Amino acid sequence: MSFFKKSTSTTTKAVSQPRQVPWVEKYRPESLDDVSSQDHAVSVLKRTLESSNLPHMLFYGPPGTGKTSTILALAKQLYGPDLMRSRVLELNASDERGISIVREKVKNFARAAVSTPSAHTRENYPCPPYKLIILDEADSMTQDAQSALRRTMETYSRITRFCLICNYVTRIIDPLASRCSKFRFKPLDTGNAVSRLQDICQKEGVKYEDGVIESILQASDGDLRKAITLLQSAAKLHGAAAAALAADPDSSAMQVDPDPSVVTVGSVEEISGRVPHDVITGLVRAALNRSGDRFAGLQTAVEDVILDGWSAAQIVVQVHEELVLSDDFGGSEKNKIVAAISEIDKRLLDGANEHLSILDLMVKISGVLTAK
Amino acid sequence: MALWVDKYRPKSLESLSYHQELSDRLSSLALSGDFPHLLVYGPSGAGKKTRIIATLKELYGPGVNKIKIDSRVFQTSSSRKLEFNVVSSVYHMEITPSDMGNNDRLIIQDLLKEVAQTQQVDLSAKQRFKVVIINEADSLTRDAQAALRRTMEKYSPNLRLILLANSTSNIIAPIRSRTLLVRVAAPSHTDIQEILSQIAKKEKFTLPPRVSERIARESGRNLRKAILTLEALYSQNDKLSDSTPIPTPDWEVVVNSIVDIVIQERNATGILKARTKFYDLLSHCIPAGIILKTLLFKLLDRVDAGLKPEVVYWAAFYEHRLHQGSKVIFHLEAFVAKFMRILERYMSGMLDDDMDM
């Protein structure tokens, strides 16, 4: 038995090297053709690829829509692996990015002469005569740092192109935004996301129940990175459980239905941090209760939910979905409910106590709904 | 002699008594050799830390228990020196960046990068990565969380993070999407009772079931509090019987007296008296949020059902203000004054709706 265990552990160690790469990195698009569902941006960029003339660019859009992937794929196609190091500078929020860095690092890189590509690289890639500076998460740069970029961008535009990537275009100061051609990245449509996830499942050999892909997409609302990470975590969890069973040869659990390596909808919900639906309906039912001591019922319901550790922000989101999308209530009631929800959401963001906030919200909702 | 809370803290995943499914999951993750970043959340006293330490032991073996405390010095950009305590073993490191207030970003950037850039030195170690535990992750500033994002991806071969938080509400979405969420719910009353009776058995005294039931209820599903209460009871009384009273903590006694004042003396003198008590509590380092919350729930037990929604509304309102304002005493007093007014109006039966709400 001990010998058996040892051998499995050594084999997993040997295999574990490639497995440790997050799928998000592993399945990053290699070329522009692989970028899914951003047709507009991709077609414009492809044209620039042919003419080898790139404007300064500003990519904006919600997280997980492929902004970073697109620019990395473009850079790869422009320069090839050898030149990437000398031609591309990537800075993001984890690097110190105050005004001094813009003045020194960015400026020095922008000023440096363009390196000459080897003959091999020149044959296979366009190798345009300029460098590329990618400023990821540019909306977290300070105003000062952004203003310091203005002149740099113009002065060295002959030999350097900038690509700014951000979630909120409004946080980029106007003078910078007007120097760039803007590309909006829209949230992925369901069809593309589903096919992408199915593709990954197939390549990784993940087994899943019906409805898992849909519930993953619902939990990640348009964020493909989140969806893929979720999928990987779920697969990891179930794979680990299956491996633990397999390592124990005495148990015949392998044949037992259900197979532990199959990803289930329930586990996806648990991992994504979504509150199960019956918890939410339980809360709403307590709020709608017209008989007996409504307040006491509500108070215990809220207390249980909080002590079970559910995230208050998530509860607010799901109560909103439950009530506002429901047909049982009239417009004026929904109006009042939404007003209450927005107030509580702001308070939670300010760090107010979750228990009190949720209790207040539910009491208010209950007051609105039972007022008739 | 160690406190019972520490003495009977489970050391391995198998010996954890409740949330069996969760423990199984953690142990299979630890064995799989492919350990993800974790975000562990749940109310206090639910056993988050215990579970994580047990998981670490599963990952690396007993070496994790040999810990030392280092004091590190960091320099801010304005060249101010900051001291910071780090608890570490050969395999893992535990930090509480929120100790540093607004400078937590610095810790995240410097310390984590430093850890991440060095490989595991001990070649006989079971895992190639090191683990960094970040306590109170929900009080990290936005900046610090943003700095975590890329670090988590870039250094994933050498580093795994375990974030501990009370709730995920204050964790930014990019972090949440990069971690495996693990929810640790508070133990149920039966779970607590079972643990209490086990401890009683090991300490060789008899614990009447009624007492353990009462302790469980008083603790509000907080296991740490329950065990501490049990130990206090045991050391104060020779023999525990059904009628042994459970001592209320001093601060709750003070809150109770505030409740009495607020309900009986609805005038300026009452507020003055309440203020003295509030200062008393605050000077003993009881957080204002907890004072307000306890006060509210005690008040709710004493007022008529018709008043409750309004009282809850104002409590939530002033609790929010506590976080935004600079001086907590103002908001505590404001709540007391507001409550007196609501109650006064209700008592005197003048239920005009045009009162300023």
Side-chain angles (χ1 to χ4, degrees), chain B residues 21-290:
Chain B
E21 201 180 320
L22 182 60
S23 313
D24 287 349
R25 259 193 210 171
L26 284 175
S27 91
S28 61
L29 273 181
L31 290 174
S32 72
D34 188 14
F35 197 70
H37 298 296
L38 292 184
L39 170 56
V40 184
Y41 65 104
S44 49
K48 300 183 289 293
K49 193 64 160 293
T50 311
R51 243 158 248 278
I52 289 312
I53 299 293
T55 312
L56 281 181
K57 205 180 154 212
E58 189 91 23
L59 273 173
Y60 294 107
V64 218
N65 292 337
K66 284 182 208 140
I67 53 172
K68 61 178 198 288
I69 300 178
D70 286 339
S71 153
R72 308 281 279 263
V73 178
F74 289 94
Q75 208 159 29
T76 59
S77 47
S78 55
S79 66
R80 210 167 56 122
K81 287 208 169 117
L82 297 167
E83 239 185 60
F84 182 67
N85 284 327
V86 179
V87 178
S88 62
S89 77
V90 191
Y91 307 110
H92 85 288
M93 180 181 269
E94 193 184 318
I95 52 176
T96 315
S98 49
D99 285 354
M100 307 288 287
N102 281 325
N103 289 311
D104 53 359
R105 188 177 57 102
L106 205 75
I107 310 280
I108 296 286
Q109 280 179 338
D110 289 7
L111 196 67
L112 286 193
K113 276 193 183 168
E114 186 192 307
V115 176
Q117 279 164 352
T118 50
Q119 281 217 350
Q120 181 71 265
V121 190
D122 186 359
L123 284 176
S124 60
K126 280 193 192 161
Q127 313 289 344
R128 286 190 53 239
F129 52 82
K130 282 187 176 182
V131 172
V132 174
I133 302 179
I134 299 183
N135 285 321
E136 295 172 34
D138 42 358
S139 46
L140 283 177
T141 56
R142 290 286 141 119
D143 275 354
Q145 293 190 36
L148 264 183
R149 286 167 69 161
R150 195 64 193 154
T151 318
M152 285 169 94
E153 282 178 354
K154 217 161 155 186
Y155 301 109
S156 64
N158 287 339
L159 178 72
R160 289 293 182 283
L161 291 178
I162 299 181
L163 308 174
L164 293 180
N166 279 123
S167 138
T168 56
S169 301
N170 291 329
I171 309 273
I172 58 172
I175 303 274
R176 261 182 288 165
S177 75
R178 281 173 176 79
T179 48
L180 181 60
L181 297 181
V182 178
R183 182 177 60 93
V184 183
S188 69
H189 287 170
T190 21
D191 289 335
I192 291 184
Q193 284 178 39
E194 205 161 291
I195 291 164
L196 291 183
S197 64
Q198 273 171 17
I199 290 179
K201 214 163 153 195
K202 281 184 197 145
E203 287 289 322
K204 300 196 179 65
F205 68 94
T206 47
L207 176 69
R210 295 279 282 289
V211 177
S212 84
E213 194 190 315
R214 268 182 11 237
I215 294 179
R217 214 176 36 234
E218 287 283 315
S219 69
R221 294 174 68 185
N222 182 336
L223 185 57
R224 181 172 29 219
K225 197 173 166 190
I227 297 179
L228 286 171
T229 318
L230 179 69
E231 187 169 4
L233 265 189
Y234 175 69
S235 55
Q236 281 166 11
N237 301 288
D238 296 335
K239 206 167 171 344
L240 295 177
S241 68
D242 281 354
S243 56
T244 315
I246 293 173
T248 17
D250 294 343
W251 66 275
E252 274 189 32
V253 176
V254 180
V255 174
N256 277 334
S257 67
I258 297 179
V259 171
D260 291 336
I261 294 171
V262 169
I263 289 186
Q264 278 151 19
E265 290 185 55
R266 297 184 297 276
N267 51 32
T269 349
I271 295 184
L272 268 180
K273 278 187 193 164
R275 167 189 285 171
T276 338
K277 306 247 174 200
F278 277 136
Y279 268 124
D280 201 16
L281 286 173
L282 290 174
S283 63
H284 284 89
C285 293
I286 309 285
I290 293 183

Side-chain angles (χ1 to χ4, degrees), chain A residues 114 123 282 314 320:
Chain A
V114 182
E123 266 168 36
Q314 190 63 36
H320 174 258

Side-chain angles (χ1 to χ4, degrees), chain A residues 17 92 94 226 229 233 236 271 295 299 307-311 313 347 350-354 356 360 363-364, chain B residues 34 41 43 113 128 150 167-169 177 180-181 183 185-186 221 296-297 308-309 313 319-320 323-324:
Chain A
Q17 197 54 31
N92 59 54
S94 72
K226 199 169 161 191
T229 320
S233 315
K236 215 180 254 177
I271 293 171
F295 190 87
Q299 198 177 335
L307 284 179
D308 276 340
W310 300 111
S311 140
R347 284 190 195 165
D350 287 340
N353 184 289
E354 302 201 330
L356 285 186
D360 183 27
V363 167
K364 242 186 241 166
Chain B
D34 188 14
Y41 65 104
K113 276 193 183 168
R128 286 190 53 239
R150 195 64 193 154
S167 138
T168 56
S169 301
S177 75
L180 181 60
L181 297 181
R183 182 177 60 93
R221 294 174 68 185
L296 168 73
F297 285 113
K308 285 177 181 176
Y313 172 81
E319 207 274 336
H320 177 219
H323 293 272
Q324 303 227 297

Side-chain angles (χ1 to χ4, degrees), chain A residues 4-34:
Chain A
F4 181 66
K5 259 200 173 147
K6 200 161 194 177
S7 73
T8 48
S9 74
T10 46
T11 45
T12 47
K13 215 164 217 174
V15 191
S16 71
Q17 197 54 31
R19 269 175 71 204
Q20 277 181 0
V21 184
W23 292 356
V24 187
E25 298 290 334
K26 196 168 165 188
Y27 294 100
R28 248 191 218 294
E30 285 293 309
S31 72
L32 283 179
D33 296 316
D34 297 343

Side-chain angles (χ1 to χ4, degrees), chain A residues 188-199 213-214 217 224:
Chain A
L188 264 75
D189 56 85
T190 328
N192 275 314
V194 167
S195 63
R196 190 91 194 145
L197 287 180
Q198 276 170 345
D199 194 35
I213 301 265
E214 286 71 22
L217 286 179
L224 191 60

